[in-house]
Amino acid sequence: MAPIASSAPRLGDLERAVMEHLWEAALERPEGLTVREVLDCFSGQREIAYTTVMTVLDRLAKKALVSRVRDGRAWRYQPCDTREALTAQTMRRTLDDMDVTDRRAALMHFLDGASEDEIEDFKAALAEIETRRPRLGLRRPRLRRPGKKDTA
Amino acid sequence: MLVALAIVLACPVPRVMARLSVLRSAPRAALFAWQAVTLSAIVAAVAAAPAILPLVLFDGQAVWQHFVVMCVAGGVSLVMIGRLLLAGHRIGHRMRVMRTRHRELVDIIARHDSRDAALRILAHPTPTAYCLPGRHRRVVVSQGVIEALNERELVAVLSHEQAHLRARHDLLIEFFSVIHETVPALVRSPAAMSEVRLLVEALADRAAARRAGVPATTRALDVLAGGRAPEASMAVSAAGMAPVRIALLRRGWPNPLLSTVVYTYAAALLALPCGLVALAWG
Ligand SMILES: [Zn+2]
């Protein structure tokens, strides 16, 4: 039904794989990974070129999902947010969008047609779960502008 | 006449139709009628200026006067068409950009499903479900949905979303959003917009009920509309749409007679402005 290519590793799949490696490494290596180190994570899994990893990291930086820091002659890449934080942000944003006519139509929410009260309740429930859940300790340099070079 | 028709179709008719809750029993026919009203109003409004031409052209005016009148009439129509096209382009583009951005993000942060290549599961305890229409479609559910629903209810939710994707309900909503944003604020009808939205949901609910049964679908709706941790749960607000959708599902399948009446009404609406234009020029 959905046109999703499964044979060739698409850029989207690689982006996900790279993010997963960065998230995994973030706890032990909060300073981030270099392109070479990210490439090493893939060894034995799949054949990828150094330049491909660079391209993928560049795209992720443009999407403000990773930030990079100068380390000598190399760049170190680190995730801007934990996966949990990004997931919560995404959930909240889909609900915020329900206040705006055309943004609301971009996603077709199961609750579409919900009253404002219901949406408010929903957001409150979301916030409550957020506060109850202990934050994962991960250094999170706030990077809003896509592609901006981090100075931290 | 056309001006009057455009005004009637744009103002009182949607207001009355939004209140006729019988229409909700036949969502497919009702949505067709809503499209008919909207299209008909647009045709009447666009054709109004050129239709006045025959009235003024044979009054023995000078040739340059004819020319000015024709230009003004044509100009008014062109401006209206232009505004619609521009709004359509702007809104359509904005939606596509938003969907692409959201899809790329969800593809990275959510779990993929081995059986359904378009399904994404967000690791979050709050139950939520939505779909991303378009060429690269996705159905997104949270872990909370999977935990709160049994298998049959989950099928209901997924069938609901797939019905949206299959029938391209997004295009329908997009069409009405464009009109809604383009018409003057005076004739804009939020009640009509939310009624259309409800009808689209009712249609998808029906598709879900056909696959998973009415009880499972209503329970899925109930749980998702509740959407909150048990300790925080309070009475669902009376104005909410979920109770309405549940009541609609329980009301059963549409009466064929009602559907026929609504379809006939819609056809008449479409024929009206065309007939008037023919009359004006004939
Ligand atoms: Zn829906």
Side-chain angles (χ1 to χ4, degrees):
Chain A
M1 195 173 83
I4 294 177
S6 50
S7 49
R10 294 182 309 110
L11 224 45
D13 288 337
L14 280 175
E15 283 179 17
R16 186 160 73 107
V18 166
M19 274 316 281
E20 261 160 14
H21 286 310
L22 287 177
W23 275 321
E24 241 169 68
L27 285 175
E28 284 163 25
R29 306 276 310 275
E31 74 279 9
L33 301 181
T34 61
V35 178
R36 173 60 58 192
E37 284 165 338
V38 172
L39 190 62
D40 287 344
C41 294
F42 283 100
S43 67
Q45 292 175 35
R46 46 172 134 180
E47 291 279 318
I48 313 178
Y50 183 90
T51 47
T52 311
V53 174
M54 238 165 64
T55 310
V56 169
L57 282 167
D58 202 48
R59 279 171 62 103
L60 289 170
K62 282 210 180 79
K63 291 178 185 172
L65 290 171
V66 304
S67 56
R68 53 179 200 174
V69 191
R70 242 294 172 230
D71 181 17
R73 283 166 53 208
W75 289 100
R76 288 195 172 278
Y77 293 84
Q78 51 190 199
C80 292
D81 270 312
T82 63
R83 190 184 213 146
E84 290 74 18
L86 264 178
T87 304
Q89 256 176 43
T90 308
M91 297 265 297
R92 208 172 314 115
R93 219 170 296 147
T94 63
L95 293 171
D96 284 341
D97 285 353
M98 289 180 79
D99 297 341
V100 188
T101 319
D102 67 315
R103 271 205 276 157
R104 168 180 189 159
L107 318 177
M108 298 196 75
H109 207 277
F110 190 77
L111 272 182
D112 209 359
S115 68
E116 270 168 39
D117 285 356
E118 281 174 334
I119 297 172
E120 279 314 310
D121 281 1
F122 210 84
K123 282 186 198 160
L126 205 63
E128 202 187 287
I129 286 169
E130 298 287 280
T131 50
R132 250 189 293 150
R133 211 141 54 116
R135 271 255 123 82
L136 267 178
L138 175 66
R139 205 152 64 88
R140 300 196 299 147
R142 284 261 153 217
L143 187 78
R144 281 285 141 247
R145 216 161 303 143
K148 189 187 142 200
K149 284 166 191 63
D150 205 334
T151 46
Chain B
M1 271 295 267
L2 278 165
V3 179
L5 181 66
I7 292 172
V8 169
L9 286 175
C11 242
V13 171
R15 235 144 263 188
V16 172
M17 271 176 71
R19 274 211 214 128
L20 273 180
S21 57
V22 215
L23 286 178
R24 294 176 182 169
S25 296
R28 197 181 299 274
L31 276 170
F32 185 71
W34 276 106
Q35 290 174 79
V37 173
T38 314
L39 272 178
S40 195
I42 294 166
V43 171
V46 169
I52 296 170
L53 285 180
L55 297 181
V56 291
L57 282 186
F58 306 107
D59 271 2
Q61 291 161 310
V63 178
W64 68 268
Q65 278 176 312
H66 288 181
F67 186 70
V68 169
V69 171
M70 279 173 96
C71 280
V72 170
V76 170
S77 298
L78 276 181
V79 165
M80 280 194 271
I81 295 172
R83 270 180 56 112
L84 276 175
L85 289 179
L86 201 71
H89 175 76
R90 210 191 49 230
I91 291 176
H93 176 75
R94 214 158 42 186
M95 279 186 188
R96 273 189 299 280
V97 168
M98 252 178 317
R99 278 183 197 141
T100 304
R101 204 172 289 158
H102 194 93
R103 190 193 66 234
E104 287 179 350
L105 182 63
V106 165
D107 276 355
I108 288 174
I109 61 175
R111 210 172 77 226
H112 294 217
D113 187 80
S114 52
R115 285 158 302 171
D116 184 351
L119 183 63
R120 297 288 177 269
I121 299 147
L122 283 171
H124 201 281
T126 305
T128 189
Y130 55 91
C131 61
L132 289 162
R135 219 150 54 81
H136 304 280
R137 43 178 65 169
R138 297 282 185 274
V139 173
V140 185
V141 298
S142 64
Q143 190 62 38
V145 165
I146 291 172
E147 268 149 34
L149 302 183
N150 68 30
E151 202 163 327
R152 217 180 162 77
E153 291 152 5
L154 189 60
V155 168
V157 170
L158 296 179
S159 310
H160 173 106
E161 299 305 335
Q162 273 146 14
H164 281 322
L165 295 176
R166 217 179 19 246
R168 291 307 307 257
H169 287 160
D170 57 301
L171 294 180
L172 207 60
I173 298 285
E174 198 174 318
F175 166 76
F176 285 109
S177 303
V178 168
I179 309 296
H180 189 74
E181 285 208 6
T182 318
V183 297
L186 203 67
V187 291
R188 192 172 295 165
S189 165
M193 194 67 218
S194 68
E195 187 65 18
V196 162
R197 208 167 257 140
L198 173 65
L199 288 171
V200 167
E201 291 310 318
L203 211 53
D205 286 343
R206 286 243 156 97
R210 270 195 297 272
R211 279 276 302 280
V214 172
T217 309
T218 51
R219 225 196 69 85
L221 260 168
D222 203 30
V223 171
L224 284 197
R228 65 212 91 190
E231 64 266 37
S233 94
M234 298 198 337
V236 176
S237 62
M241 278 303 176
V244 180
R245 281 164 63 183
I246 290 172
L248 279 178
L249 274 171
R250 294 206 172 120
R251 214 191 267 179
W253 261 239
N255 175 344
L257 183 67
L258 176 67
S259 301
T260 314
V261 170
V262 177
Y263 275 122
T264 315
Y265 162 70
L269 279 177
L270 278 175
L272 211 54
C274 305
L276 282 178
V277 173
L279 212 69
W281 283 89

